[in-house]
Amino acid sequence: MNRESIQAQSTESIRYLVSGDSISKGVVYDEARSRYVILKDNYVSLLQGSLKGAVHNTARFGNTLLKGVGSLKRDALRERPNFVLIEYGGNDCDFNWDEIALDPEADHKPKTGFDEFKTMLTESIDYLKSLQITPVLMTLPPLNAESYFKWVSKNDPQAERNILRWLGSVTKIYWWQERYNSTILKVSEKTGTRLIDVRGAFLEHPDFTTFLCSDGIHPNKEGHRLICDKVLDFVRTDYGHLLQER
């Protein structure tokens, strides 16, 4: 769907679909309760209050692209949204750290293979475009490698030693996630798909880790506001008529 046809449509009938993982679900780590909770003012709910039309959030905790692509296609076909915001990669590039801690000498694979992630992302975009739906990709928020390493090793000294023996360096966690983020950028360029550079918004700050929970990977309340502002910047630039009047 091109910009002109969207402008011609009643703004109140515009529909947005958000497909992603726990970040888009609004999951944060609650320090006081020592567990994950859903943040009321997550970036998707903040967007709903700022955009004309209806936002349908189908994100799920633990979602990989492999898990989410089937639902994405069904929802897109059934609801025919104007836009689909695609937020995947954080779980796709992740590993089963408990297995690594138990056997660091084994051959461990990410939840979604690198090439498989690229292929599925490209196919999902092509499918949405075939339905005259505008897909919009999001880059990955950067992770805090040190905090995430502590998190996945559960502060167990033996687990830390084994995981580090497999990794070689804690910084490899950041580097590996960056590979998947680079794939999102390349797919965006190759397919001519619009992109919201969430990662860049975090990295503009001298210490981006202040926007992350203690697990080192989930954006906190301030991080969700940062994501929301970045998405709204995108809307303001290309689809300003879709913003609620303040």
Side-chain angles (χ1 to χ4, degrees):
M1 178 171 288
N2 59 38
R3 194 179 312 181
E4 289 72 23
S5 62
I6 291 173
Q7 288 176 335
Q9 185 175 344
S10 168
T11 54
E12 299 307 316
S13 65
I14 295 290
R15 297 184 301 279
Y16 317 85
L17 181 69
V18 179
S19 181
D21 55 33
S22 55
I23 291 178
S24 292
K25 183 67 176 176
V27 173
V28 296
Y29 188 73
D30 188 317
E31 297 286 346
R33 289 185 278 180
S34 299
R35 65 184 180 89
Y36 286 110
V37 298
I38 303 296
L39 177 67
K40 179 182 177 181
D41 293 328
N42 61 73
Y43 90 84
V44 178
S45 64
L46 291 172
L47 286 176
Q48 177 65 90
S50 301
L51 296 173
K52 295 176 182 177
V55 180
H56 183 196
N57 189 1
T58 64
R60 296 288 182 271
F61 186 89
N63 247 5
T64 60
L65 184 55
L66 181 62
K67 290 180 180 179
V69 69
S71 297
L72 168 60
K73 289 182 177 180
R74 287 193 301 272
D75 291 337
L77 185 61
R78 181 178 65 250
E79 299 186 21
R80 296 299 179 107
N82 301 92
F83 298 91
V84 174
L85 190 59
I86 303 172
E87 179 271 312
Y88 286 100
N91 290 321
D92 296 275
C93 71
D94 205 17
F95 293 85
N96 187 321
W97 298 103
D98 289 340
E99 290 183 359
I100 293 172
L102 289 173
D103 188 2
E105 305 303 326
D107 183 25
H108 299 282
K109 303 292 185 183
K111 293 178 180 177
T112 306
F114 189 71
D115 292 334
E116 186 180 18
F117 179 73
K118 180 180 179 180
T119 299
M120 285 193 300
L121 192 58
T122 302
E123 290 177 351
S124 298
I125 288 169
D126 290 343
Y127 178 79
L128 292 173
K129 288 183 177 180
S130 74
L131 298 177
Q132 302 300 304
I133 295 169
T134 300
V136 182
L137 291 170
M138 291 176 64
T139 56
L140 303 176
L143 56 76
N144 182 338
E146 290 287 346
S147 295
Y148 191 58
F149 173 71
K150 290 288 186 182
W151 186 264
V152 298
S153 59
K154 302 171 183 175
N155 289 313
D156 179 339
Q158 184 60 49
E160 287 185 11
R161 286 192 292 271
N162 285 350
I163 292 175
L164 188 57
R165 182 164 54 175
W166 180 79
L167 277 174
S169 169
V170 172
T171 57
K172 188 177 178 181
I173 298 175
Y174 187 98
W175 168 81
W176 183 253
Q177 189 215 33
E178 179 63 32
R179 285 194 69 194
Y180 280 71
N181 187 72
S182 296
T183 297
I184 296 171
L185 294 172
K186 291 174 182 176
V187 169
S188 170
E189 182 177 5
K190 182 179 179 180
T191 61
T193 301
R194 294 175 179 275
L195 179 84
I196 299 174
D197 187 15
V198 170
R199 195 178 193 85
F202 277 72
L203 294 177
E204 285 178 2
H205 295 267
D207 184 7
F208 70 84
T209 63
T210 60
F211 295 95
L212 299 175
C213 296
S214 60
D215 63 2
I217 194 166
H218 284 94
N220 56 25
K221 183 177 181 179
E222 291 74 23
H224 275 270
R225 167 51 69 182
L226 189 65
I227 296 172
C228 176
D229 288 344
K230 190 65 177 179
V231 176
L232 290 177
D233 283 344
F234 164 80
V235 176
R236 190 174 294 110
T237 299
D238 288 352
Y239 305 97
H241 65 291
L242 297 180
L243 293 175
Q244 293 274 15
E245 295 180 5
R246 297 294 182 182

